[in-house]
Amino acid sequence: FRSGIAGVSMRSPEVATRLLPQDRLFSVLERHGDRFRGRLIGALTAAWHAPSQRPSVLSAMADPAVKVISLTVTEKAYGVNPATGTLDVNHPDVAADLKGQTPMRSVLGLLCDGLTHRPDGALLNVLCCDNMNRNGELLRGLMLEFAQIHQGFSPGLVERIRNQVSFPNTMVDRIVPAATPDSLDWACTQIGLRDEAALVCEPFTQWVIEDRFVTDRPSWELA
């Protein structure tokens, strides 16, 4: 199983702007006091900005060879009502999409739009990595609600979400602050070159994934 990651930014193009001149390579420096351990990451096969490169993003989501879509977009981006765990139709992005705005700008809208472009029967796994209780099940419910309410999708989309998409629950825990001029300068001092996409993080990491996939998957447990 050979795999790579096509990175997609939902808002700012800054991440892609930093990565592309470096052939999408970046370093991760685990820092503990004055000590650090660095790794060069070469898993990215693409770095896209969804608002300006939507055709590329949708084309990838439609490709049956793409079997996992993972998300780290923060809890606020999903449009969930925290009191009920159901869809917040007043969330700005969700509300705009439900009114028929095109292109859709919510996370749920992009996922549903991408799924409509996939061939029927092309199974998919959607892996939520944001800090929400039973995040996979929650995302599945939100996608079903969104697809049912939105007038632009065929009724068949709801059945495809139910029967052709898996939403494993996950628990991901690591503090990774956004890069700053100070952190980039520190990274440059440590590794001896300028990496405009370097990330400095804590050594602690925890990544738990429910093994509930409807296709084959990368052997993450080996790493």
Side-chain angles (χ1 to χ4, degrees):
F1 190 107
R2 299 184 62 185
S3 60
I5 299 171
V8 179
S9 299
M10 293 291 293
R11 297 292 188 190
S12 170
E14 182 179 357
V15 173
T17 300
R18 289 174 178 267
L19 283 166
L20 291 176
Q22 304 181 174
D23 293 329
R24 302 177 302 275
L25 298 170
F26 65 100
S27 52
V28 174
L29 284 75
E30 299 177 349
R31 183 178 185 181
H32 183 65
D34 294 331
R35 294 177 298 166
F36 81 95
R37 183 179 70 170
R39 297 179 64 193
L40 179 65
I41 308 300
L44 289 176
T45 60
W48 291 319
H49 174 234
S52 62
Q53 296 176 289
R54 196 175 185 90
S56 296
V57 175
L58 290 177
S59 177
M61 296 173 75
D63 186 349
V66 173
K67 299 177 181 180
V68 179
I69 296 177
S70 68
L71 300 99
T72 307
V73 293
T74 78
E75 181 179 355
K76 293 180 180 179
Y78 291 95
V80 58
N81 184 326
T84 63
T86 58
L87 183 66
D88 179 5
V89 296
N90 295 314
H91 181 280
D93 290 344
V94 171
D97 287 355
L98 293 179
K99 290 177 182 176
Q101 172 187 286
T102 54
M104 286 181 284
R105 68 189 197 193
S106 72
V107 171
L108 299 175
L110 181 60
L111 287 172
C112 287
D113 197 10
L115 190 56
T116 63
H117 286 74
R118 286 179 72 85
D120 190 19
L123 303 180
L124 180 67
N125 307 282
V126 177
L127 199 63
C128 173
C129 297
D130 283 296
N131 187 19
M132 302 183 293
N133 187 37
R134 305 193 74 82
N135 50 13
E137 295 173 24
L138 177 64
L139 178 54
R140 180 180 186 272
L142 294 174
M143 278 190 68
L144 286 170
E145 283 191 80
F146 185 90
Q148 288 168 337
I149 296 172
H150 198 285
Q151 298 298 311
F153 296 123
S154 69
L157 177 61
V158 172
E159 292 307 309
R160 292 187 65 183
I161 295 171
R162 284 181 176 147
N163 301 318
Q164 299 182 19
V165 186
S166 179
F167 297 84
N169 293 304
T170 73
M171 183 174 65
V172 179
D173 188 8
R174 167 176 257 182
I175 298 174
V176 184
T180 66
D182 286 345
S183 72
L184 294 176
D185 288 345
W186 181 85
C188 180
T189 300
Q190 304 306 314
I191 62 180
L193 54 83
R194 188 71 182 182
D195 178 355
E196 295 294 347
L199 293 175
V200 181
C201 61
E202 63 175 349
F204 176 82
T205 181
Q206 186 174 46
W207 191 14
V208 182
I209 305 174
E210 180 184 14
D211 198 357
R212 181 159 54 90
F213 290 78
V214 290
T215 67
D216 53 349
R217 59 167 178 80
S219 299
W220 288 308
E221 67 273 18
L222 300 181

